Amino acid sequence: MQTIVLTVHLILALCLIGVVLLQRSEGGGLGMGGGGGAMSARGAATALGKMTWGLAACFIATSIWLTVIAAQNTSDSSILDRLGTEGAPVQEGDQSPSTPDLGGDLLPPPAAEGEAAPEGGSDQPFLPPRAE
């Protein structure tokens, strides 16, 4: 249904563009310079003007209809719920998945005696070499 309404919506948009481009330009923005137009008390009701209003009303109606269809297709569930994946069961004593243990220290542990320090994990701060 959504595909049909979207197709009609696109056809209406193209027709509305065509009808607007076919109309005579009266100069001046918002109909202020052509002696009449939509802003005057007696606007000319030409066939192209009536067709423009009709296409615009249909375009707005299909826009609202598409919004209603899209709202009906959405749900309040998470994307993970729609995939059907489940997390590992939480056992007693385990931390919940929402609060992972990040550790108190962001630095790597110091190397034990006799063991080489991991790369970038020495206790000394990094000092760039001096340019001589």
Side-chain angles (χ1 to χ4, degrees):
M1 182 63 147
Q2 184 175 6
T3 308
I4 295 170
V5 177
L6 185 61
T7 304
V8 170
H9 187 71
L10 292 175
I11 291 171
L12 283 171
L14 292 175
C15 290
L16 187 60
I17 290 170
V19 169
V20 168
L21 290 176
L22 286 175
Q23 291 182 13
R24 182 173 62 98
S25 174
E26 296 184 2
L30 298 174
M32 291 182 190
M39 298 298 286
S40 67
R42 290 183 2 194
T46 64
L48 283 176
K50 289 179 182 180
M51 191 179 297
T52 302
W53 280 105
L55 287 173
C58 292
F59 181 81
I60 292 171
T62 56
S63 298
I64 294 171
W65 195 3
L66 282 171
T67 303
V68 169
I69 291 173
Q72 289 175 350
N73 290 342
T74 61
S75 62
D76 293 334
S77 64
S78 168
I79 185 72
L80 296 177
D81 294 339
R82 283 186 259 154
L83 291 176
T85 58
E86 295 181 16
V90 178
Q91 297 177 358
E92 228 175 278
D94 288 347
Q95 291 184 345
S96 68
S98 62
T99 56
D101 182 20
L102 297 177
D105 193 11
L106 296 178
L107 297 175
E113 285 193 38
E115 189 178 305
E119 186 159 330
S122 67
D123 292 337
Q124 300 297 324
F126 174 74
L127 297 174
R130 290 187 180 181
E132 293 180 19

